[in-house]
Amino acid sequence: MHYISTRGGIEPIGFAQAVMMGLATDGGLLVPAEIPVLEPARLRIWAGLSFQELALEVSTLFIGDEIPRADLKALIDRSYATFSHPEVTPVVTAGETRILELFHGPTAAFKDVALQWLGNLFDYLLEREGGRLNIVGATSGDTGSAAIYGVRGKERIRIFILHPKGRVSPIQERQMTTVPDGNVHNVAVRGTFDDAQNIVKTLFNDLPFKSAYRLGAVNSINWARILAQTVYYFYAWGRITGGDTERRVSFSVPTGNFGDVFAGYLARRMGLPIDRLIIATNRNDILTRFVHSGVYAVEDHVHQTLSPAMDIQIASNFERYLYYLHDGDQARVRALLDDLKRTGRLEVSAEQHRQAQADFDAVAVSDAETLDQIRATYEATGYILCPHTAVGVRAARDLPEAVCLATAHPAKFGEAVVRAIGCEAPPPPSLQGLLGKEARCAELDATAEAVKAHIEATLKAVSAA
C-alpha cells in the first residue's frame, strides 16, 4: 500500500515512511493511494473475530508486507494487553442506548486505542531501521496523556506534548504532567488548543528544523491513528449484527478534530454497512455548520465548554475529507485550504455540499443540553456519561438505534458530572491518586519560536548529560 499527500507534493511512499513522517513535506496529510473495498463474505468472517484478530486483518490491508505478519500480530497483542476489558472496546447498553466503550485503556480515553499501538509501532520501526525520534504533539485533553503512556520509557523516543494552560480538566493535566519518565516533556502554552496545534503544524512545516531534530507526529494527522480507530467500527458492527451484511448500523461520534468520525467514514468506504454517521459537536460547531451550509468558517475565538477535548475550531482531519469529497483533486484541496488561510473560510460547491449531507448528519449540543443528558441517562439507567459522550448521546436522540461512542471515562470530568448528578463517577484504578502526585511542566507563550527554543534547549541538555 502506498501513500500520497492530500495536496500533491510528494511521490507515493510506503506505510513505514508515512508513519514516521506523519505530515507530508508540502504540509498536506497522507492518505492511502487507494482504499480497499471488502466483499460481504469477508465481513461475515470478520464479525466473529476478537478485537486483536480484527485489528490484524484491517491493518494488513494498509500495511501489506512492510511488516511481517508475525511481527504485526505481536505489536497488536502487546498494544492491547494494557486494556482492562477483555473485549478492548465492548458494546454495552444503557437502557435502550447502545454505547461503544472506548475508555478501557491506561489513560481511560479512546485515544489509547490508537496511541498504544502507535507507540509500539514507532519503537518497532526505530529499532528495525536504527535512529531516534522526537515526537511533538498538541492536545485538547486526552491525546497528550495517551501519547505519553504509549511511548513512556522507550529509549529511542522523546515526546513533547503541548496543552492549552487551564483549558484541560485537572485529571487530564495530571495524567500528562505526573509521568516521571525522563523521555517525557510537557508544555503548557498560554492560549487555546488551536494555538497549540498551529505551533505543531508550523514546526512540521519548518523542514530544516523537522529534519535536524527528527520530529514525529502523534496527533491524528498521523495515518496510523486513523487506521487503528477504524477497527472499532468493524468490531461494533460485528457484535451488533452477528455478521448479517443486510443490517446497517449508525454511529454518533463526539468529535472536534474530525479524526474519530473520519475513521468511521473510512470504514464505510471500505464496505462496512454503516447507515448514518452523526458528527456531534459542542458550541465549537464549525463541523456542524459546514454540513448544514457547505461553508467552513472560523469564528473569532474558541469557546471553553464542559467537553474540552472538543474545544477546537480547525479540525485537522477535515483536510482528508476534503480530498475524498473532491475525488482526489489535490489542486482543489490546496486552493480551498489557501482560501481558509487567507480569509478564515472556505466554501464547497453545491454538488459537494449535497454529498457532505449524504455522508454525515451533524448536531451541535450546548453545555446545558450536555448536563441534561448526563442527568437523564443516569436517572433512567444508573449509567454515567462523560460530557463528550453525552454530546454524542444527545445528538443521536432522533436516531435511537445509533451506537454512541463513549470517548472517555466520566471520572476524568468530575466537575461536569457533579453539576449534572450531584456526585462524581467512581474512578478506575488508572486515575486514582493522580491529583496528589508531583507534576513537571514548562509554561510558554503560544508561539512557535518559544516552543522551538524549548525543544532545542531540552535536547541539547540531554545530549550534554
Side-chain angles (χ1 to χ4, degrees):
M1 175 69 73
H2 288 94
Y3 292 81
I4 57 178
S5 170
T6 52
R7 305 184 198 181
I10 63 170
E11 295 296 318
I13 59 175
F15 175 79
Q17 190 177 356
V19 170
M20 300 306 287
M21 286 177 62
L23 194 70
T25 52
D26 65 346
L29 301 189
L30 295 163
V31 293
E34 59 185 30
I35 296 176
V37 178
L38 305 170
E39 296 294 329
R42 183 179 292 193
L43 290 173
R44 287 191 288 270
I45 293 171
W46 280 11
L49 300 181
S50 70
F51 184 91
Q52 291 88 333
E53 291 168 335
L54 185 57
L56 178 62
E57 298 302 328
V58 174
S59 300
T60 297
L61 294 176
F62 291 89
I63 296 174
D65 59 2
E66 283 196 56
I67 299 176
R69 187 175 175 88
D71 290 357
L72 184 57
K73 181 180 184 303
L75 281 173
I76 289 169
D77 289 345
R78 186 183 317 135
S79 298
Y80 299 115
T82 60
F83 282 64
S84 61
H85 196 287
E87 288 193 66
V88 183
T89 61
V91 178
V92 304
T93 56
E96 296 183 356
T97 303
R98 291 195 187 105
I99 296 177
L100 176 59
E101 291 187 338
L102 304 176
F103 53 70
H104 293 286
T107 72
F110 83 99
K111 308 291 179 75
D112 289 322
V113 177
L115 287 167
Q116 284 292 300
W117 142 253
L118 183 57
N120 285 315
L121 183 61
F122 275 143
D123 200 41
Y124 172 86
L125 294 174
L126 289 169
E127 184 175 353
R128 185 176 75 175
E129 299 169 8
R132 297 182 179 276
L133 188 68
N134 294 303
I135 293 172
V136 181
T139 184
S140 57
D142 289 326
T143 291
S145 57
I148 286 168
Y149 276 73
V151 304
R152 60 181 299 183
K154 296 189 184 300
E155 182 181 347
R156 296 177 179 271
I157 301 173
R158 291 193 171 275
I159 185 166
F160 295 83
I161 291 293
L162 283 59
H163 72 267
K165 179 177 172 57
R167 289 176 174 261
V168 300
S169 79
I171 287 287
Q172 289 175 315
E173 188 266 338
R174 286 306 179 102
Q175 279 189 300
M176 293 183 283
T177 60
T178 60
V179 176
D181 299 78
N183 68 327
V184 172
H185 307 278
N186 284 281
V187 176
V189 297
R190 303 181 188 103
T192 67
F193 168 75
D194 282 347
D195 293 328
Q197 184 163 254
N198 285 335
I199 290 169
V200 172
K201 288 182 178 179
T202 298
L203 297 188
F204 275 84
N205 286 329
D206 183 341
L207 298 185
F209 183 81
K210 179 184 178 183
S211 176
Y213 291 97
R214 293 215 64 187
L215 301 190
V218 291
N219 280 56
S220 52
I221 56 177
N222 194 304
W223 175 257
R225 278 191 56 181
I226 300 297
L227 174 56
Q229 291 171 259
T230 302
V231 176
Y232 46 71
Y233 287 92
F234 285 93
Y235 187 76
W237 174 85
R239 288 301 176 271
I240 291 167
T241 68
D244 181 357
T245 53
E246 297 299 315
R247 289 185 61 187
R248 303 174 72 82
V249 175
S250 296
F251 293 89
S252 181
V253 189
T255 190
N257 222 12
F258 203 71
D260 213 2
V261 76
F262 181 80
Y265 171 80
L266 174 66
R268 184 163 60 190
R269 287 189 67 114
M270 292 172 67
L272 187 66
I274 293 177
D275 186 14
R276 301 304 303 168
L277 278 172
I278 303 173
I279 296 171
T281 64
N282 59 21
R283 189 180 178 189
N284 299 290
D285 60 349
I286 189 170
L287 294 169
T288 296
R289 287 185 281 113
F290 167 76
V291 173
H292 291 169
S293 69
V295 176
Y296 187 84
V298 177
E299 293 187 322
D300 291 339
H301 65 281
V302 176
H303 301 284
Q304 193 165 2
T305 74
L306 295 175
S307 44
M310 298 156 62
D311 290 350
I312 297 169
Q313 284 216 71
I314 304 298
S316 290
N317 281 286
F318 185 68
E319 180 173 333
R320 285 188 167 111
Y321 177 63
L322 285 176
Y323 172 83
Y324 289 112
L325 183 62
H326 291 86
D327 298 320
D329 186 339
Q330 296 160 317
R332 182 59 183 151
V333 172
R334 186 184 290 274
L336 286 169
L337 294 173
D338 286 344
D339 288 344
L340 180 64
K341 185 176 181 179
R342 186 178 66 256
T343 68
R345 73 191 300 275
L346 64 81
E347 184 171 1
V348 300
S349 69
E351 179 183 356
Q352 268 78 47
H353 181 213
R354 286 191 295 271
Q355 182 59 53
Q357 291 187 313
D359 289 336
F360 300 104
D361 294 344
V363 179
V365 177
S366 69
D367 275 356
E369 290 170 322
T370 299
L371 292 173
D372 181 68
Q373 187 62 62
I374 296 172
R375 184 181 306 113
T377 298
Y378 180 69
E379 290 176 351
T381 69
Y383 191 94
I384 304 177
L385 305 171
C386 98
H388 308 79
T389 307
V391 168
V393 173
R394 183 73 169 206
R397 63 179 176 171
D398 293 331
L399 198 64
E401 71 276 14
V403 177
C404 300
L405 274 60
T407 56
H409 194 284
K412 298 188 77 168
F413 303 93
E415 180 183 349
V417 171
V418 169
R419 285 178 61 181
I421 65 174
C423 63
E424 293 188 357
S430 63
L431 300 183
Q432 293 174 9
L434 279 175
L435 297 180
K437 292 184 177 180
E438 182 179 352
R440 292 185 301 123
C441 184
E443 183 177 327
L444 300 174
D445 288 335
T447 67
E449 292 75 18
V451 173
K452 184 185 295 187
H454 176 73
I455 292 173
E456 290 177 326
T458 300
L459 294 179
K460 286 177 181 177
V462 169
S463 298

